[in-house]
Structure formats: structure tokens, C-alpha cells
Amino acid sequence: MMAFIPLSEQRIRDELLKSAPPEHAYYFHILDEIDSTNRYLKDVMAKPEVQVCCAEQQSQGRGRFNRHWASPFGENIYLSCRYTLQLPAQNRSVLSLVVALAVLDSLKELLAPFDDLCIKWPNDLLWDDKKLCGILIEMVSEKDGFFDLVIGIGVNVNTDSKLNPLSDKACGSLFDITGNLFDRNTIIALMLRALNASINLLINTGFSSFQKRWENSDYLRNKFIHVTQMGKRIEGYGAGINQLGQLALMDEHGVMHYLSSGDTSLSHMRA
Ligand code: BTN
């Protein structure tokens, strides 16, 4: 069995240099314990570099809709990146989908041949109906079209979730899938590289190049689902996304709804 490998800036930097030199300069904050890596990066001073924070443990890891994100010591990835980006209006709403696709790419590279991963709109990564990764993007400030934002990524890596369930919802880990333990530093470097490439592609060419890739990994397509949005429940079949990254949902009357936020769940089919 692989010995415990701590998080290490040097190991991440070495991995980043293995392919082309990184296009961004990075400033790393590697921490033993913190309440939340997103919260930490939101409160630090802005820097010209992309700031990256990873912790061995989070005491108050946060998810979307203010949910708790389980963050046991030394097992998984709790990663936040603070970027300043000049994003045209039409690209803002799709950023969280683009980040999910970038993480998907890096995990697929690692997991082949067990790479049957998919994305549940807007940005949960699933394998075998179990959640492996969640993403929380938070805005720090906006000025003259420049967005200072924190992208938080939690990946369940080495937890044996059959022995130590991470949540009362269905969750899995890379260990559950492969039976192998992973060096988290390698995965962090893979994700940083994929994030850069995807964000640059979004800025330079827009969302259209990502739409096809979304279709290939869309967990909700043709599934009967319900979405709760501001207390209102809408039911129907997942019908992909539009060019704004909104979820398309066909209801029982054949009317298409486009949703830009909300929490999706699979519904039981009506008899
Ligand atoms: C979700 O699925 O609801 C999003 C989960 C995001 C968790 C990550 S872990 C690193 C970063 N720090 C946090 O407190 N949250 C994000």
C-alpha cells in the first residue's frame, strides 16, 4: 500500500513542469488545516499570480446551497484557485460548466479505463451514480469587466467510502473506483493545467467548443428529473443545455424550460 504523501508545493510545481511550462504564474498556499480554502482565498490580498490554496483538512468545507463538504485529513483534494479574468457577459454563466469539463478531462486521463465519468448539471462529477467531485465558484469583486473570483474544487480521492461514508447522499472516490491510492499533488497539477487550458479556450473562442463535449458527458440527458428553483418545482426530461449553459427541461406538455440555477434530482417515473 502507498505511504501517505502530504500536499507539497514542490511536487505540484514539478508535475506542472512535466509538460509545457505553465502559462500562468502561481502563488501557492499549502495549509494543514483551514475552515474553508474558498473562504481563505476570498480574504487574502489580490496578487498578479493565480493564487492556489490546498489544505489537508477543512473544518467547514462548504458546498453549493451552503451545504457541508466533508473534508477528512489527508485523504482528498480541497483546492481553491483565485483568478482575475476578463470575461464577456455571455461567458460568465458558463464558467462553472467549463470548470466541470476541465476537471472531468483531468480525472478521465487518470482513471482510464475506468473513465466512465459524467457531469450532472451544472457541475457535479459522478461515476456509477455517485458523486466524486463538487465545484463552488464565488465572486470576490468585479470592476470594469474584470472578475476576481475563487473556483473551489473538492475531489474525493483516497477515502474508502464504503468504510467511511462522506455523506448521507451517494458519494464515491477515486479509490472506490480503482482500488488504488493516488498522490493528490499529481492530480492537483493535472487539474490546474486543464483549468488554464479551458479558461483560455473559453475566453478566446467562447462556449460553442465545449457544448459537444458536454453532450458526451451529460448525466441528466433523457432522465426524468425535477428541479427546485426559488421554491418552485419543475419536472420533465433533461434535454441538454443551450448556448448560455442553461439546463433544458422538457415538461409533460412538451414545453421546454431553460433553467439557469437550481438543484436537480432524479424523479421516480409516473405510472
Ligand atoms: C458542491 O458540490 O456543493 C460544491 C463543493 C465544493 C467543495 C470545495 S472543497 C474546496 C473548496 N472549499 C470549500 O469550502 N468548498 C470548495
Side-chain angles (χ1 to χ4, degrees), residues 49 70 83-84 146 168 194 209 244 262 270:
E49 298 94 342
Y83 280 90
T84 304
F146 283 87
D168 51 4
S209 51
L244 298 174
R270 290 211 188 103

Side-chain angles (χ1 to χ4, degrees), residues 90-91 93-102 104-105 119 121-122 198 201-202 205-219 221 239-248 256 258:
Q90 70 273 18
N91 287 345
S93 55
V94 294
L95 185 64
S96 75
L97 282 65
V98 167
V99 171
L101 283 166
L104 182 88
D105 279 352
I119 309 180
W121 182 90
S198 295
L201 191 63
L202 175 67
T205 65
F207 186 58
S208 53
S209 51
F210 294 91
Q211 246 176 308
K212 185 81 206 148
R213 280 166 55 200
W214 184 274
E215 278 168 29
N216 296 334
S217 316
D218 183 354
Y219 176 75
R221 186 165 265 278
I241 54 169
N242 65 10
Q243 69 276 24
L244 298 174
Q246 294 169 320
L247 176 69
M256 196 70 94
Y258 293 98

Side-chain angles (χ1 to χ4, degrees), residues 41-72:
L41 273 195
K42 278 167 79 180
D43 288 349
V44 297
M45 296 267 286
K47 287 191 191 296
E49 298 94 342
V50 173
Q51 299 196 68
V52 177
C53 177
C54 320
E56 293 288 3
Q57 177 172 23
Q58 294 185 118
S59 56
Q60 288 172 54
R62 289 183 288 122
R64 294 172 64 234
F65 307 108
N66 235 357
R67 289 183 185 134
H68 169 69
W69 185 260
S71 313

Side-chain angles (χ1 to χ4, degrees), residues 36-38 58 61-64 69 78-80 124 131 134-136 152-154:
S36 150
T37 54
N38 264 33
Q58 294 185 118
R62 289 183 288 122
R64 294 172 64 234
W69 185 260
Y78 323 116
L79 166 72
S80 299
D124 287 348
K131 181 158 165 173
I135 294 164
L136 177 67
I153 303 170

